[in-house]
Amino acid sequence: MTALDLVDHSPQHPSAAASLPNATNLVLIDNYDSFTWNVFQYLVLEGASVTVYRNDKISLQELIELNPTQVVISPGPGHPESDSGVSRDAIKHFAGKIPVLGVCMGQQCMLSVYGGEVIFAGEILHGKTSPLTHDSKGVYANLPQDLPVTRYHSLAGTYATIPECLEVSSWIEKGPDGGKGVIMGIRHKKYIVEGVQFHPESILTAEGRVMLKNFLNMRGGTWEENEEYQKEASLVAREKLGTAQPPMNGTTPKVDAQDTISILEKIYKHRKAALGLQRQVPSQRLSDLQAAYELNLSPALVPFVERLRQSPYRISLMAEIKRASPSKGTISLSTCAPRQARAYALAGASVISVLTEPEWFKGSIEDLRQVRQSLEGMPNRPAILRKEFIFDEYQILEARLAGADTVLLIVKMLDVLTLSRLYAYSKLLGMEPLVEVNTVEEMRTAVELGAQVIGVNNRDLTTFEVDLDTTSRLMDGVPSTTIVCALSGISGPQDVDVYHRNGVGAVLVGEALMRAPDTKQFINNLLGQRLSQRKAVKHDKLLVKICGTRSPEAAKVAIEAGADMVGIIRVEGRSRYVPPKDALEIAKVVHETPKLSRQGTIKMQDDLSEIAIDFFAHTSTHHLVHPTRALLVGVFQNQSLAYVLAQQKLLGLDVVQLHGSEPLEWASLIPVPVIRSFDPSDPSLATRGYHALPLLDSGAGGSGVQLDIRNVEKALNKDAELKIILAGGLNADNLQPTLTRLGDARRQVVAVDVSSGVEESGVQSPEKIRAFIAAAKSVV
């Protein structure tokens, strides 16, 4: 039967392909399953000449004498070891000689042949679809992730018994340990023997015919032979066009309808269609984005070129957030982009690259927006790169509004006029682009463009082959002022050593970083010992705030005993409220009484600007300490902003403490650092960029009621970089035990606050003030 005699009524694949010269004698083994007809139909529609034989109606010798070009083992009922007839013997014989594909029971036969175990899968599925995760190789080449595939099975292979010669190529969902779930595909590591547990021939399976087409395009008996065949076919295709060079800055030439287009072209086509739909949505139209930009809603920029030159290492790091890729398949779908970004920043990355392509790389513009938010307020934060297949000004403006500091322009996918236009537009928005090249011609184009940062992709985007020597080969002719970055395939220090010797300024690392169990340790191993270590101001002892101060005498006692902050209540009606006259006298004492030199509260050390630090590490270091005197803190609760500002000016407050329901944004409107009170369960307490430090207290404060320390520990364990001031029922006797109960989270407490704990019958006690400060300064 020929393709002309068949009609595919499925919604995905309406037309038949031309006959394939390499699939003129495909043998399909029928394991007595009705789906065999569907498999036959799809194979014929993809250009194969197919003959079907029942599994018990032909011997292995008869099969051998047929001299098939490919063998496909169909689905079927029962168990592969008892109900598959000649199927297992056929796999054994033809493996390594011709391509072999197994569907459902066909895959189970392959597992059985090579020593794997096929058992109950834990559920019985009949015509159910599931999202498929795959490695983008073999039958899955050029296909997006999370494809819906149809499952009819109760048996499956097990990870524990996968033979060494096989690899898992696709799977469904997560396993109980968070790893890969039910096995959906296997592949022989050497031979072209590939199996799928699901049904690509089902009408509910997306891209099923593409999978079978990928199989039919395989040649030879081994993957090595197949690679040689594909290279030869690609060369022949180009020669048919009369050129070995791509027509437009390196894009793969179109041949005829049967030639497989490159993944770059496929992604470009998909992104162009998606963008066309997106820009029609109200609020996402180009005019909407432009209006937002003109309202100055785009976040502040970090100069990309200058930041790339700053690194604690011998070579700068561009750390990438990448959940998946066409070449590697799924890398880490569970990755939290903003959390990963913070880890990269604190480990010394100069640039954070965020992949925003959704289908093949599983990213989004929302990832970029959240990454930018996660670095808010971080001193010397890394620059943020939008890594995307950019071909339109819309994408650049979208990136700028989301918080990007630079964008990627790929020379291979853009003609010179478009490249120049997009480069100029990006610079107009304040962003120097990263221009990516892969060949000598593309490097020449980038240099002539005037690009200040050129990334050399070691991976050819048309073949996805990696050659780590590509960057070094293209260094000649690059101006000395231009930063050259090595992109793709970098996994170890040996790769970095070569680039450093050749004058490369930065390396981009994605997959290896995403898979690393310890980000900071991996970066240290990859880039070598830091040339400089951050020696941020380090607290030698806990900071102490004596709050509820009502007299100049008590303030002086506190300062001379070693207090770092003296708090006065500016809330009328509170028992510890200080009248204006007394407040002015206390302010005078605080401003004029020097700290004793023996206190040694802090150690001032170098602050290295090339390394980012967390916002709270910065504020606790620089905003709430003074080398020669204590700081005066005014405490307010649900009063007007105008009143707070007036009191700050009148009293010369060094710090404002907000102890009510004041908006977080007030911290940006008050001209001195702000301490804000929170309950440990408040989700806003760790918000960066506003309050200098959160103060954890019980109720309205000053009540003498202790916090549930378990809730404090829980809040601190959620965010390892969070720093706090601890208050609530503390005194000289319970301070050390309370902090000890926090365990490892104790290091996140940088200051303690006391009010009722230094009082006797409602009056501040000099002896209790001195005892509390002594206890705090002796905490270990």
Side-chain angles (χ1 to χ4, degrees):
M1 182 177 288
T2 67
L4 295 177
D5 301 314
L6 293 172
V7 177
D8 181 2
H9 294 286
S10 72
Q12 294 99 342
H13 313 287
S15 60
S19 297
L20 292 174
N22 65 299
T24 57
N25 188 23
L26 186 151
V27 170
L28 173 59
I29 304 298
D30 175 21
N31 284 306
Y32 285 86
D33 194 274
S34 59
F35 268 109
T36 302
W37 163 254
N38 301 70
V39 176
F40 169 82
Q41 181 188 33
Y42 270 20
L43 290 170
V44 172
L45 286 169
E46 283 303 327
S49 296
V50 183
T51 307
V52 182
Y53 295 94
R54 288 282 171 87
N55 66 19
D56 58 351
K57 301 300 182 183
I58 188 169
S59 67
L60 176 62
Q61 186 57 42
E62 289 171 326
L63 268 178
I64 295 171
E65 292 172 359
L66 289 173
N67 194 26
T69 52
Q70 296 94 354
V71 169
V72 176
I73 312 297
S74 85
H79 195 279
E81 295 182 6
S82 58
D83 303 292
S84 63
V86 76
S87 299
R88 296 171 75 252
D89 289 338
I91 294 169
K92 292 178 186 177
H93 176 80
F94 289 108
K97 300 179 178 67
I98 59 174
V100 181
L101 174 69
V103 179
C104 201
M105 179 186 272
Q107 169 175 289
Q108 296 168 11
C109 288
M110 292 173 175
L111 285 164
S112 175
V113 163
Y114 293 108
E117 186 177 6
V118 178
I119 63 173
F120 179 55
E123 55 183 342
I124 299 175
L125 292 160
H126 190 83
K128 301 296 183 181
T129 59
S130 302
L132 183 77
T133 303
H134 57 77
D135 63 4
S136 299
K137 301 175 185 177
V139 298
Y140 309 112
N142 298 336
L143 293 180
Q145 299 292 336
D146 296 330
L147 288 169
V149 296
T150 313
R151 302 166 63 187
Y152 291 83
H153 68 105
S154 59
L155 302 177
T158 61
Y159 285 97
T161 65
I162 290 289
E164 178 60 30
C165 64
L166 300 181
E167 61 186 0
V168 176
S169 58
S170 65
W171 55 94
I172 296 293
E173 303 167 350
K174 284 185 177 180
D177 59 351
K180 297 176 181 178
V182 180
I183 295 173
M184 283 290 108
I186 55 100
R187 182 184 303 117
H188 199 285
K189 294 178 180 179
K190 181 178 180 181
Y191 305 141
I192 305 179
V193 173
E194 186 151 12
V196 295
Q197 181 62 66
F198 58 91
H199 288 253
E201 76 283 0
S202 169
I203 194 172
L204 296 179
T205 295
E207 307 288 1
R209 265 183 62 179
V210 176
M211 297 177 197
L212 294 179
K213 177 180 179 179
N214 285 339
F215 169 72
L216 292 174
N217 281 331
M218 297 172 188
R219 309 286 183 88
T222 67
W223 295 113
E224 184 177 359
E225 291 173 350
N226 178 65
E227 184 177 356
E228 292 302 316
Y229 275 116
Q230 300 307 324
K231 287 181 180 179
E232 183 180 342
S234 177
L235 180 60
V236 169
R238 292 189 179 189
E239 289 176 348
K240 281 167 45 178
L241 290 180
T243 175
Q245 292 297 325
M248 221 166 57
N249 288 340
T251 53
T252 302
K254 302 291 190 300
V255 283
D256 57 58
Q258 292 305 304
D259 289 313
T260 303
I261 64 172
S262 74
I263 187 64
L264 178 61
E265 289 178 297
K266 191 163 188 176
I267 294 174
Y268 170 76
K269 182 179 179 182
H270 185 88
R271 295 301 289 144
K272 189 172 183 179
L275 184 62
L277 294 174
Q278 177 182 326
R279 59 194 305 165
Q280 295 177 32
V281 177
S283 80
Q284 296 188 53
R285 297 164 299 191
L286 179 59
S287 59
D288 299 316
L289 269 57
Q290 186 62 39
Y293 180 74
E294 291 173 0
L295 285 171
N296 297 309
L297 299 185
S298 51
L301 282 167
V302 163
F304 171 48
V305 179
E306 289 79 358
R307 185 62 183 89
L308 190 56
R309 294 188 189 279
Q310 299 172 14
S311 175
Y313 301 100
R314 54 186 173 153
I315 193 168
S316 295
L317 173 66
M318 306 172 77
E320 187 158 87
I321 297 172
K322 178 165 64 174
R323 295 189 180 92
S325 76
S327 60
K328 299 296 183 179
T330 296
I331 297 170
S332 178
L333 292 180
S334 61
T335 291
C336 172
R339 182 180 292 115
Q340 190 81 356
R342 279 188 185 171
Y344 287 165
L346 297 176
S350 300
V351 175
I352 295 176
S353 169
V354 184
L355 273 151
T356 60
E357 194 284 323
E359 298 300 326
W360 284 267
F361 293 90
K362 299 305 176 188
S364 70
I365 193 69
E366 188 59 31
D367 281 339
L368 191 145
R369 186 174 289 107
Q370 291 181 6
V371 164
R372 176 63 180 85
Q373 291 172 351
S374 75
L375 305 182
E376 186 64 40
M378 181 178 285
N380 201 45
R381 69 166 177 84
I384 300 172
L385 163 68
R386 181 185 190 182
K387 197 172 184 189
E388 174 64 275
F389 299 84
I390 290 177
F391 51 84
D392 192 285
E393 285 86 348
Y394 180 100
Q395 297 164 290
I396 299 175
L397 181 56
E398 181 185 42
R400 179 71 184 88
L401 286 168
D405 301 296
T406 182
V407 295
L408 178 70
L409 298 179
I410 304 173
V411 176
K412 188 178 293 295
M413 66 176 284
L414 303 169
D415 62 75
V416 175
L417 289 178
T418 302
L419 175 66
S420 300
R421 191 184 76 242
L422 296 178
Y423 180 83
Y425 182 71
S426 181
K427 294 200 68 170
L428 182 66
L429 299 187
M431 300 186 294
E432 173 67 32
L434 169 64
V435 180
E436 179 185 307
V437 304
N438 178 252
T439 67
V440 173
E441 293 77 13
E442 292 170 15
M443 177 64 85
R444 187 179 301 116
T445 298
V447 171
E448 292 173 354
L449 184 68
Q452 297 182 52
V453 184
I454 299 176
V456 180
N457 198 339
N458 296 311
R459 176 176 283 111
D460 187 328
L461 292 180
T462 59
T463 66
F464 269 75
E465 294 178 355
V466 174
D467 180 358
L468 291 180
D469 293 331
T470 304
T471 300
S472 301
R473 285 198 303 267
L474 300 188
M475 290 293 291
D476 293 341
V478 178
S480 59
T481 55
T482 301
I483 302 176
V484 175
C485 311
L487 317 178
S488 295
I490 298 157
S491 60
Q494 68 282 357
D495 305 325
V496 177
D497 291 341
V498 175
Y499 292 139
H500 181 249
R501 288 196 299 269
N502 291 338
V504 172
V507 292
L508 185 145
V509 184
E511 179 193 353
L513 258 179
M514 293 290 290
R515 297 188 190 278
D518 186 327
T519 300
K520 187 174 181 179
Q521 186 60 50
F522 179 86
I523 291 175
N524 286 336
N525 293 341
L526 180 73
L527 302 182
Q529 185 65 34
R530 290 186 176 187
L531 300 180
S532 54
Q533 296 290 331
R534 169 168 287 283
K535 298 178 181 178
V537 180
K538 181 178 177 63
H539 295 292
D540 192 32
K541 297 177 181 178
L542 275 175
L543 299 177
V544 179
K545 173 172 170 277
I546 302 297
C547 201
T549 303
R550 279 156 283 175
S551 70
E553 294 77 19
K556 191 173 182 64
V557 168
I559 296 169
E560 291 178 346
D564 301 284
M565 291 172 274
V566 173
I568 54 175
I569 307 300
R570 304 302 300 129
V571 186
E572 289 192 53
R574 295 290 301 275
S575 60
R576 297 182 180 88
Y577 170 70
V578 180
K581 180 177 178 296
D582 294 341
L584 286 169
E585 292 177 358
I586 293 172
K588 180 178 173 62
V589 168
V590 173
H591 290 147
E592 294 179 357
T593 304
K595 280 184 177 179
L596 299 180
S597 59
R598 62 180 173 80
Q599 290 177 206
T601 304
I602 57 173
K603 293 181 178 179
M604 305 295 288
Q605 298 177 344
D606 294 335
D607 183 10
L608 301 178
S609 61
E610 68 270 18
I611 308 173
I613 62 171
D614 185 78
F615 174 76
F616 289 124
H618 171 77
T619 53
S620 61
T621 292
H622 296 289
H623 290 195
L624 301 178
V625 289
H626 193 285
T628 62
R629 66 173 178 85
L631 299 178
L632 180 64
V633 182
V635 182
F636 302 87
Q637 185 179 48
N638 297 328
Q639 291 148 295
S640 71
L641 178 60
Y643 177 76
V644 173
L645 294 174
Q647 289 293 302
Q648 189 278 320
K649 290 179 181 178
L650 175 67
L651 301 174
L653 298 176
D654 300 303
V655 180
V656 164
Q657 178 174 321
L658 301 177
H659 216 90
S661 56
E662 299 87 355
L664 290 186
E665 289 89 343
W666 278 20
S668 302
L669 305 174
I670 296 172
V672 294
V674 170
I675 295 170
R676 197 181 188 287
S677 174
F678 291 94
D679 180 88
S681 63
D682 193 318
S684 299
L685 72 88
T687 302
R688 268 73 168 176
Y690 295 102
H691 43 277
L693 278 181
L695 180 144
L696 300 193
D697 200 356
S698 56
S703 64
V705 177
Q706 275 196 278
L707 284 167
D708 187 333
I709 205 66
R710 294 171 299 180
N711 293 336
V712 176
E713 183 180 16
K714 184 178 179 181
L716 295 176
N717 286 339
K718 285 182 180 178
D719 187 339
E721 299 301 325
L722 175 63
K723 303 290 189 292
I724 66 162
I725 301 172
L726 184 63
L730 297 176
N731 57 49
D733 296 327
N734 68 17
L735 179 60
Q736 177 71 66
T738 298
L739 293 173
T740 300
R741 288 173 60 195
L742 285 174
D744 291 340
R746 149 70 186 91
R747 66 176 183 81
Q748 295 173 253
V749 179
V750 297
V752 289
D753 185 306
V754 66
S755 181
S756 62
V758 294
E759 294 178 346
E760 189 74 49
S761 300
V763 179
Q764 283 184 308
S765 162
E767 292 76 18
K768 287 194 173 185
I769 290 174
R770 296 187 186 100
F772 183 85
I773 294 173
K777 296 298 182 180
S778 63
V779 164
V780 294

